Amino acid sequence: LVDNLAGFFGQNTVLRSVWLEICFVWTISASVWTVDGMINDGVVAAAFPALEALKPITLPGMPFTLSAPALGLLLVFRTNTAYSRYAACRNLWGEIIDTCRDLTRQGASKWESQSKKEELARRAIAFSLILKKHSRGGFAEETLLQRELKELLGRAEAERLLKAKHRPTQAIQDLSRLIYSVDMDIIERNRMDQSLNTLQSTVNA
């Protein structure tokens, strides 16, 4: 339970993006509940006799009764849409993982240079990290990406990628330059280039 709660509050990107709105709504709700309780208990009247005639806060139930079916349907539609988008994104991310693995596998089996093989693997990982940050956003994700890229590619290459106008496309272009810098059969090169086209398609999706 503790691990689940820690993961929910520490790793939930949605919660981190809306925590200010949640705190605002919670503060207003708690304030209304507190004031209403003080009025019912006579605390407000005892402290401020001029407010003795102040009645408890009440709201008519008719608006909630009439709007409940519409709100329920809206919630169902939004939930279904959210699940559909989640499933689509999950499938795209799975395709990205498979394509990156296939790309590095082709390089590892076809290339002779060990340094080129290692660079291909590092740049494939860098693309995944950059795309993750591109999809999520946030200051914490940006700081983490900077540290990971510096450890993976070095300071100079990391800074160059971070300054790019569209980082995922720049990462794919770097992979393309690396592939075309290796002397290999044109059929094998076209296969690897097709993998890059798949990665670009997922980015555009």
Side-chain angles (χ1 to χ4, degrees):
L1 177 62
V2 175
D3 292 339
N4 290 334
L5 290 176
F8 177 78
F9 290 103
Q11 302 177 7
N12 193 320
T13 57
V14 176
L15 184 62
R16 289 205 300 266
S17 63
V18 299
W19 71 272
L20 283 175
E21 291 84 351
I22 293 176
C23 291
F24 176 77
V25 173
W26 181 87
T27 302
I28 297 298
S29 302
S31 301
V32 172
W33 176 78
T34 302
V35 172
D36 185 59
M38 294 173 65
I39 293 174
N40 290 331
D41 296 338
V43 176
V44 174
F48 305 97
L51 301 177
E52 186 175 359
L54 188 64
K55 296 181 179 180
I57 302 173
T58 58
L59 291 174
M62 185 60 68
F64 300 99
T65 303
L66 295 176
S67 62
L71 291 175
L73 291 174
L74 177 62
L75 180 61
V76 170
F77 292 146
R78 292 298 298 271
T79 302
N80 290 339
T81 302
Y83 279 135
S84 299
R85 294 179 62 185
Y86 172 78
C89 292
R90 188 178 180 88
N91 292 335
L92 284 173
W93 192 253
E95 185 177 2
I96 290 171
I97 293 176
D98 293 340
T99 304
C100 287
R101 288 176 177 174
D102 183 62
L103 192 64
T104 54
R105 178 192 60 80
Q106 292 181 68
S109 60
K110 301 295 190 304
W111 296 357
E112 296 182 359
S113 174
Q114 184 63 29
S115 61
K116 293 290 185 179
K117 295 178 182 179
E118 295 177 356
E119 184 179 358
L120 177 63
R122 289 196 300 269
R123 291 198 177 277
I125 296 173
F127 167 76
S128 300
L129 296 175
I130 288 172
L131 186 59
K132 181 181 70 172
K133 164 59 181 66
H134 183 76
S135 303
R136 288 183 174 181
F139 177 77
E141 293 289 340
E142 178 70 18
T143 304
L144 179 62
L145 176 65
Q146 292 177 3
R147 184 173 72 250
E148 290 175 336
L149 288 182
K150 288 178 182 178
E151 294 175 356
L152 193 64
L153 301 175
R155 179 179 295 274
E157 278 296 299
E159 292 179 352
R160 185 181 64 83
L161 277 171
L162 292 171
K163 292 178 180 178
K165 292 183 178 180
H166 195 271
R167 296 172 180 173
T169 301
Q170 182 62 54
I172 293 176
Q173 185 176 355
D174 292 341
L175 282 168
S176 180
R177 289 175 179 172
L178 176 61
I179 291 172
Y180 277 86
S181 68
V182 177
D183 186 16
M184 58 188 301
D185 183 74
I186 187 149
I187 296 178
E188 300 296 337
R189 178 178 292 151
N190 289 339
R191 289 177 181 174
M192 299 185 74
D193 196 56
Q194 184 61 40
S195 297
L196 296 182
N197 291 337
T198 302
L199 292 179
Q200 187 67 63
S201 299
T202 57
V203 171
N204 296 336

